[in-house]
Amino acid sequence: MINWNFSADDFEEQSFKPIPVGDHRVRIASAEEQTSGSGRQMIKLVLDVSGHNATIWHYLVFLPDNAKLTNQKLGELWNSFGIPQGNFNLSEWQGKVGAAKVKHEPYNGEDTAKIAYFISKDRQGKLPTWVEPSNKAALTGGGASAPMTKVEDLPWA
């Protein structure tokens, strides 16, 4: 049995607004090789967003039947974050800062923030510099995060 002394004084109902639509600096918190629900190789990225206590999950699914699209998405990601092309050493990606266009999509009846595309290095100059989230502990402790989309639900998975 769990031994915990719960105090209702420490509980406060919270609601989270999604990260606003637009261009944002993003940092790779983690990158992990996984397999999609349809059996394809993919990379799951967890991205911190500059100035926000939230993360966005992004999935890059490898499509053997559409190599051109897969290579385009990889090239955009590598360019945005300054990762050398062809570098699949995912541990080297962690901590890299790039930029992305954030869009909203409905998920379970609520708008959630998703990555529309990554912004190339040469178009990031007008964005503000990286701002560390005000409550970094919330990020590492499971703070405000976009709901997880099942990989099987992704149109390209």
Side-chain angles (χ1 to χ4, degrees):
M1 179 164 192
I2 295 174
N3 182 14
W4 184 259
N5 188 12
F6 175 74
S7 171
D9 294 335
D10 294 336
F11 172 74
E12 169 183 328
E13 189 170 334
Q14 298 179 4
S15 65
F16 300 103
K17 294 181 182 177
I19 296 159
V21 169
D23 297 346
H24 297 272
R25 290 212 185 266
V26 292
R27 177 176 59 201
I28 299 174
S30 67
E32 181 181 340
E33 187 176 335
Q34 294 188 344
T35 303
S36 74
S38 62
R40 294 183 175 127
Q41 290 182 313
M42 71 176 194
I43 297 171
K44 173 187 171 188
L45 295 172
V46 178
L47 301 164
D48 295 332
V49 181
S50 179
H52 294 275
N53 292 327
T55 56
I56 297 178
W57 287 295
H58 182 73
Y59 302 91
L60 197 156
V61 180
F62 291 75
L63 305 171
D65 53 337
N66 194 345
K68 186 173 182 169
L69 178 61
T70 301
N71 289 332
Q72 180 66 33
K73 297 293 182 187
L74 280 167
E76 290 170 0
L77 179 129
W78 287 326
N79 178 287
S80 181
F81 291 92
I83 299 168
Q85 288 185 5
N87 180 348
F88 287 103
N89 185 348
L90 302 183
S91 65
E92 293 179 4
W93 296 15
Q94 189 168 338
K96 300 279 189 191
V97 175
K101 170 72 82 178
V102 172
K103 64 181 178 177
H104 286 175
E105 289 184 354
Y107 180 78
N108 288 340
E110 294 186 25
D111 279 343
T112 60
K114 300 287 182 189
I115 301 297
Y117 57 86
F118 291 108
I119 300 170
S120 64
K121 274 285 187 211
D122 63 342
R123 292 191 39 238
Q124 295 177 22
K126 294 182 181 178
L127 289 174
T129 58
W130 174 263
V131 175
E132 197 64 43
S134 61
N135 186 2
K136 182 64 178 161
L139 292 175
T140 58
S145 297
M148 178 92 165
T149 300
K150 292 192 303 186
V151 174
E152 298 83 28
D153 294 339
L154 298 172
W156 57 88

